[in-house]
Amino acid sequence: MKPIKLKINTRTQNYSIIIGSNLVSNISKIIKENSIDFKKCLLVVDKNISKQSVSEVKKSLNQKKLYVYNFNANEINKNFNSVNKILDVLLNKNFSREDCVISIGGGITGDISGFAACLFKRGLKFINIPTTLLSQVDSSIGGKTGVNTKYGKNLIGSFYQPNLVISDIQFLKTLPKREVICGYGEILKHSLIANKKFFNFLDKNSDKILKLSSPSIEKAIYESCNIKKSVVEKDEKEKNLRKILNFGHTFAHAYEASLGYSKKLNHGEAVILGMKSALSFSLKNNLLKKNDYNSIINHISRANLPSKIKNFFKIKDLNKILSFMIKDKKNNTDKINLVLLKRIGLPVINKTYKKNSLRVFLKNELRN
Ligand code: NAD
Ligand code: ZN
């Protein structure tokens, strides 16, 4: 299949996302075709990327002065210290603003590399090569970068758009099944907040997508990127519309945080549980119609996605979950702000609910 190109136009940067297979061996050509020029670059490489892919990238970039920083990607290492280490290499090797940082990894690697690129001399060139499904459909679009702190996830960061994104589905072949499901969770989210036709496509093709079969996987990545593109183009700095991308996320962040961001529940899995909670809450508050609710719930169960919060939590965890929901950075008062769904493709933002009504709701969810 021919690579697909999607152009993103934001106030600060216009750039392309290239989606295809076996792109990395041609990376030098792709960079040139997209009019990006630099002499030196630092590859920030996730340690789980296959040696072969890394050497293909290096081979293709052999005309450039290349440095490599190997990164052990996990939420604990997504911190200032890792950003500092990248900045240290850039300073030590005398990089200028005309040079480039290239991230090769998932959302964690992309977020810290983008943040370092933004900070270094107030910004040098940045190319993102996302290697997980989640990063290809979500985190590589929209320019959010950042790190975690002891106060919470992603609380420090910036908006910094890349110069180019290269999404090569070849990387996905080595991805653990759980990580594929995580990416699928964000794809499903995009369909629910924006496009019923796309949801129907997912409903028909979820098994092929989860098996990464072409051309279904490319189509799912493309449609998902397209939805995120149209949202971030309209609201780059999350003033309003962009909040719809947080569908399921206020619940999800609280679930992840309550389990200490452990491997028991990855972000994308938490998002699927969070969307399920947001859907039940939408139904109980008479926003969502029963037949739309049923279609989505049936989809989640047919695709074998995680769906029961009581497999992860007990009633005794309720206070912890609620306190994280209040602390979520998208909430600015004691009330909890939620993105809910009216029907497939039509989200509602700025609905606030008292902590107590959430307590009653979650207690019920944990019982049933
Ligand atoms: P990740 O970067 O941790 O990658 C998941 C796991 O897969 C890691 O163990 C990683 O080493 C491994 N991996 C990566 N590529 C691989 C490959 N090709 N083969 C085998 N293993 C591979 O996580 P993620 O799910 O990609 O991203 C989650 C992160 O993204 C979170 O920190 C989240 O906050 C962030 N995020 C950011 C945005 C944004 O807009 N910037 C949006 C959504 C999520
Ligand atoms: Zn997410």
Side-chain angles (χ1 to χ4, degrees), residues 171-186:
F171 282 112
L172 306 180
K173 303 276 178 319
T174 55
L175 206 58
K177 178 80 188 172
R178 262 182 92 184
E179 298 297 340
V180 175
I181 289 174
C182 284
Y184 189 81
E186 303 283 3

Side-chain angles (χ1 to χ4, degrees), residues 4 30 81 90 100 102 123 152 156 202 270 290:
I4 314 171
I30 297 170
N81 198 18
L90 297 173
C100 188
I102 302 181
I156 303 292
L202 295 179
K290 186 84 184 166

Side-chain angles (χ1 to χ4, degrees), residues 169-364:
I169 60 162
Q170 205 56 31
F171 282 112
L172 306 180
K173 303 276 178 319
T174 55
L175 206 58
K177 178 80 188 172
R178 262 182 92 184
E179 298 297 340
V180 175
I181 289 174
C182 284
Y184 189 81
E186 303 283 3
I187 295 176
L188 178 62
K189 176 193 80 180
H190 286 147
S191 78
L192 296 179
I193 58 169
N195 189 334
K196 173 136 197 209
K197 222 169 120 195
F198 182 39
F199 171 77
N200 292 339
F201 168 81
L202 295 179
D203 207 27
K204 271 202 198 100
N205 297 288
S206 61
D207 52 335
K208 291 188 197 125
I209 299 166
L210 290 165
K211 279 186 197 137
L212 307 171
S213 318
S214 281
S216 304
I217 184 68
E218 284 96 332
K219 160 117 176 129
I221 294 172
Y222 172 77
E223 291 295 340
S224 198
C225 290
N226 213 4
I227 290 168
K228 185 151 182 192
K229 161 197 151 85
S230 67
V231 175
V232 301
E233 280 182 347
K234 285 184 198 126
D235 179 16
E236 188 178 349
K237 298 268 167 87
E238 198 167 320
K239 299 249 159 42
N240 213 1
L241 177 75
R242 193 167 171 164
K243 288 182 186 152
I244 64 173
L245 297 170
N246 296 324
F247 177 60
H249 277 61
T250 302
F251 288 105
H253 289 150
Y255 297 155
E256 286 177 278
S258 302
L259 291 174
Y261 300 105
S262 67
K263 281 282 161 202
K264 278 188 214 149
L265 188 65
N266 291 342
H267 175 72
E269 293 167 335
V271 170
I272 298 169
L273 296 182
M275 288 194 293
K276 174 112 191 289
S277 303
L279 292 167
S280 305
F281 197 73
S282 305
L283 182 75
K284 289 202 169 129
N285 284 280
N286 299 318
L287 278 166
L288 180 65
K289 293 262 170 348
K290 186 84 184 166
N291 47 359
D292 266 6
Y293 173 83
N294 285 340
S295 319
I296 307 164
I297 298 301
N298 289 341
H299 175 76
I300 291 176
S301 109
R302 265 203 311 275
N304 247 331
L305 307 176
S307 64
K308 291 202 168 66
I309 57 165
K310 60 173 194 197
N311 288 350
F312 298 89
F313 302 101
K314 306 240 167 330
I315 301 266
K316 69 171 173 48
D317 299 317
L318 201 58
N319 282 341
K320 212 195 232 175
I321 297 174
L322 280 166
S323 75
F324 281 115
M325 286 185 82
I326 293 271
K327 268 198 220 137
D328 191 88
K329 69 175 177 292
K330 276 108 196 174
N331 286 316
N332 38 26
T333 62
D334 249 19
K335 287 183 183 157
I336 297 175
N337 189 266
L338 292 172
V339 181
L340 298 174
L341 207 67
K342 256 194 177 148
R343 54 170 195 267
I344 299 175
L346 188 65
V348 243
I349 51 175
N350 297 333
K351 285 255 172 212
T352 50
Y353 293 89
K354 293 219 175 88
K355 190 175 165 187
N356 218 27
S357 68
L358 261 303
R359 180 189 301 278
V360 174
F361 166 75
L362 281 170
K363 209 171 188 177
N364 246 322

Side-chain angles (χ1 to χ4, degrees), residues 3 18-27 30 166-170:
I18 320 282
I19 302 160
S21 191
N22 292 313
L23 299 176
V24 287
S25 45
N26 278 322
I27 181 173
I30 297 170
I166 302 170
S167 282
D168 188 338
I169 60 162
Q170 205 56 31

